[in-house]
Amino acid sequence: MNFLNLKNNALFLSCWYERARPVQIFCFGTLILSIFFLSYMVVSSNAGPKVVAKTLFGVTVGLQIVVLLVQGTLFAGHMGSRERTSATLDFHRNSPESVAAKVFGLIFGSAWFEWAVFFFLFVVELFFVFSIDITVSQILLMNVSLILSGAFFHTVAATIALSSSTRKRRNPFGLILLFIFLGGPFIFYHLFTISSPFFSHLLGFTAIGYVTSDKAFYFSGHFYTMKAPLIVMQAATQIPLFWLMINGMRRIFRMPNSPVWSKSDLLCFCTFLFFMVAGFFVAGVQDFDALTEHRGYYYYPRSFDAFYGQELFTYGVLYVGAGIGMALFCIPDYFKRSKYILHTKKGLVRKSIFDDGATGFFAILVYMIIGGVFLIPYVLVGKGMVQNALVGILLLSSYVFAFAGFLEFFRLGPFRKNKIFLFTTMVLWWGIFPWMIGLMSGQDDNALTFLSPFFGLAYFVASITDEVSVNMSAPILPFFICGLIWALAYQQHLLVKAKASPD
């Protein structure tokens, strides 16, 4: 594909014409210039030229971040949503261009204005090397970091927008606010502690560290027992997930009736996620003293035990959250399952446990094994009893396994068109019912409270750190519930098979 042949790229031109409207460009350009002039006016004229230059440089960097990472991401999501809601996605899907050209046209065509402003501000930043204590290499490293983050953010936003199953246009501002409300506290807490810098590299937070000496932006670059430049670690964190999003967009264009990601893609993603988080944890254990010295006033845990408990909680949340997310994509719906049964009976496709229409039982089982393997470094560092860690990971696995089974039952069952049934059941199952039992019993280790991950996550951390006496029977009831749920799901499989291929 010739990336310079943009005049024959239908998706790029479609986004270009919508973003190139004179009124829109004039308004955004006026806002950016107004911020420049306002920042210059609020700086005291008696502060000295070096202070003024340093302030203006900070404003320039801030504008770059806001324009590219916030404004550009919003427009990438907006253009992807427009393709889905305006029904032009089918037109572009059937165009003679290659899939790579369509992906490139949507990602960079939707935010071409933001990229133009970004590179203009980059040129402006180069002139500050003559007035403040900063080098060209620092500015280059920061901009390379922002370029990686910009491409990653835009791809994520476009993929999520295209993957929507509805043609109702959604407000990107509402989705961002929902993400900040649900996941923001967890992510931003880890940005400002010495906890695993995975989130800092993933969000490109380390870019500011290239142009400031603030202790809050100190990162060692250690990963397991290796050490690499920060820009290399950021690329190693973002590029695999960027490639996952690209694969998702390619499946959207090639296979419109299939899930965004295949089961193998999801398993590769989860393996990568646990590999990176465990690697940063091992490096954090080795650099604990140095990190606390450099980031003391942003550091919440006051001891290694507190740091270790925080890392275990992070791993537990990721394990349950990623497992639930994987179940949402790998569990087949009624249409996909029926089609798979019919095609396998006719010999049109080979049976495979990783086919889009196959049951998600085996994929979730492989996921649980992967999550258990990467828990080993945590157990070795803590020097706790292996059976305690086994009880903890089995308890967390029961939540993922049970949710996947119930989701499979729901998507194949008679209530599959009533999402309120799924929502109500999960709220009662994981929220209200265990909470009521815990309040009535007055015991934190009541067996019924282990049905909820909100109780199980705390128990998972406490069991490995030996803060509580481990109840070896804790996972028994949750896995008994899992068995019942998967039995119901299997019954629905038989009914679907009978309807799809009647003899």
Side-chain angles (χ1 to χ4, degrees):
M1 185 189 85
N2 184 5
F3 289 96
L4 299 178
N5 190 20
L6 298 177
K7 64 180 181 180
N8 292 324
N9 192 316
L11 251 176
F12 182 86
L13 292 177
S14 176
C15 297
W16 170 278
Y17 287 129
E18 182 165 340
R19 294 300 315 280
R21 293 172 180 173
V23 175
Q24 187 180 112
I25 293 179
F26 174 78
C27 291
F28 280 116
T30 302
L31 289 174
I32 294 173
L33 289 176
S34 299
I35 294 175
F36 263 119
F37 286 117
L38 182 62
S39 63
Y40 180 78
M41 294 174 63
V42 298
V43 178
S44 173
S45 58
N46 298 324
K50 192 170 184 178
V51 175
V52 173
K54 190 174 182 179
T55 303
L56 290 178
F57 178 77
V59 172
T60 306
V61 173
L63 273 177
Q64 269 191 315
I65 295 173
V66 172
V67 170
L68 184 66
L69 302 187
V70 179
Q71 182 177 310
T73 302
L74 286 174
F75 273 103
H78 170 73
M79 292 298 174
S81 178
R82 185 204 62 173
E83 291 297 314
R84 169 64 68 178
T85 56
S86 62
T88 57
L89 179 62
D90 295 330
F91 167 76
H92 291 296
R93 180 181 288 124
N94 296 320
S95 64
E97 301 168 346
S98 64
V99 176
K102 298 170 186 176
V103 172
F104 176 82
L106 178 59
I107 294 175
F108 293 99
S110 58
W112 68 266
F113 177 76
E114 286 71 27
W115 284 106
V117 173
F118 171 83
F119 285 109
F120 170 76
L121 294 177
F122 164 67
V123 174
V124 172
E125 288 172 350
L126 294 176
F127 291 96
F128 285 96
V129 298
F130 302 105
S131 54
I132 60 177
D133 297 329
I134 195 170
T135 62
V136 176
S137 61
Q138 289 178 287
I139 297 177
L140 287 175
L141 284 173
M142 184 198 67
N143 280 270
V144 171
S145 176
L146 291 178
I147 289 172
L148 290 173
S149 299
F152 174 64
F153 282 21
H154 298 172
T155 307
V156 171
T159 305
I160 293 176
L162 286 177
S163 63
S164 174
S165 59
T166 177
R167 290 191 173 182
K168 182 179 179 181
R169 178 161 293 189
R170 298 176 179 177
N171 189 352
F173 293 97
L175 293 177
I176 290 179
L177 290 176
L178 181 63
F179 169 76
I180 293 175
F181 176 76
L182 295 178
F186 176 79
I187 293 178
F188 287 104
Y189 172 78
H190 287 82
L191 288 178
F192 291 99
T193 67
I194 69 166
S195 182
S196 171
F198 173 77
F199 298 102
S200 300
H201 290 300
L202 181 66
L203 301 178
F205 194 71
T206 53
I208 307 300
Y210 297 118
V211 293
T212 182
S213 59
D214 196 314
K215 294 189 298 181
F217 302 99
Y218 171 80
F219 298 97
S220 65
H222 280 174
F223 183 69
Y224 284 105
T225 59
M226 303 175 294
K227 186 173 183 179
L230 294 181
I231 192 67
V232 175
M233 294 309 306
Q234 179 184 346
T237 303
Q238 290 182 337
I239 290 178
L241 299 182
F242 173 81
W243 188 252
L244 176 73
M245 295 296 165
I246 294 294
N247 282 344
M249 295 185 68
R250 291 168 62 185
R251 283 175 65 89
I252 291 172
F253 282 107
R254 289 176 176 174
M255 297 180 287
N257 295 322
S258 297
V260 183
W261 294 288
S262 65
K263 291 181 173 66
S264 58
D265 284 340
L266 293 171
L267 288 174
C268 289
F269 161 72
C270 294
T271 303
F272 167 78
L273 176 65
F274 293 135
F275 172 75
M276 297 297 290
V277 172
F280 285 122
F281 164 72
V282 173
V285 171
Q286 299 174 3
D287 294 341
F288 179 77
D289 295 333
L291 290 172
T292 53
E293 179 182 354
H294 284 85
R295 304 182 70 189
Y297 61 94
Y298 278 98
Y299 173 59
Y300 295 116
R302 300 300 177 185
S303 65
F304 180 81
D305 292 338
F307 163 74
Y308 180 59
Q310 176 182 284
E311 289 294 301
L312 280 174
F313 181 76
T314 300
Y315 190 87
V317 171
L318 288 177
Y319 181 77
V320 176
I324 292 174
M326 180 174 176
L328 292 173
F329 287 101
C330 76
I331 299 299
D333 56 15
Y334 184 87
F335 168 77
K336 202 68 180 178
R337 181 61 181 168
S338 302
K339 185 178 179 181
Y340 173 74
I341 293 174
L342 186 61
H343 284 186
T344 52
K345 184 177 181 180
K346 293 182 178 181
L348 299 177
V349 296
R350 293 181 179 180
K351 287 187 177 181
S352 172
I353 60 174
F354 296 121
D355 189 273
D356 293 335
T359 175
F361 179 89
F362 298 102
I364 296 297
L365 190 62
V366 173
Y367 168 83
M368 291 163 53
I369 296 173
I370 294 172
V373 168
F374 284 103
L375 182 64
I376 293 177
Y378 294 83
V379 179
L380 295 178
V381 169
K383 298 180 181 179
M385 300 180 66
V386 177
Q387 56 265 34
N388 292 8
L390 184 61
V391 170
I393 195 65
L394 285 177
L395 187 61
L396 296 188
S397 298
S398 68
Y399 305 135
V400 177
F401 208 41
F403 176 80
F406 183 73
L407 184 63
E408 192 152 320
F409 165 77
F410 169 75
R411 289 184 174 178
L412 301 180
F415 306 107
R416 56 183 175 272
K417 295 183 179 180
N418 298 312
K419 294 183 180 179
I420 187 61
F421 172 74
L422 174 65
F423 176 78
T424 303
T425 303
M426 296 308 303
V427 169
L428 292 175
W429 179 10
W430 280 359
I432 297 177
F433 181 68
W435 194 2
M436 291 176 59
I437 295 298
L439 292 175
M440 293 172 60
S441 64
Q443 299 177 359
D444 294 334
D445 59 347
N446 187 288
L448 291 177
T449 61
F450 292 138
L451 294 176
S452 171
F454 301 106
F455 291 88
L457 282 169
Y459 186 82
F460 164 76
V461 176
S463 63
I464 299 180
T465 55
D466 291 331
E467 295 181 6
V468 296
S469 57
V470 176
N471 184 358
M472 303 301 293
S473 62
I476 294 179
L477 181 59
F479 268 101
F480 177 74
I481 301 297
C482 287
L484 294 178
I485 292 175
W486 277 103
L488 294 174
Y490 179 72
Q491 185 181 14
Q492 291 300 322
H493 276 286
L494 296 178
L495 294 176
V496 174
K497 184 176 181 179
K499 293 181 179 178
S501 56
D503 295 328

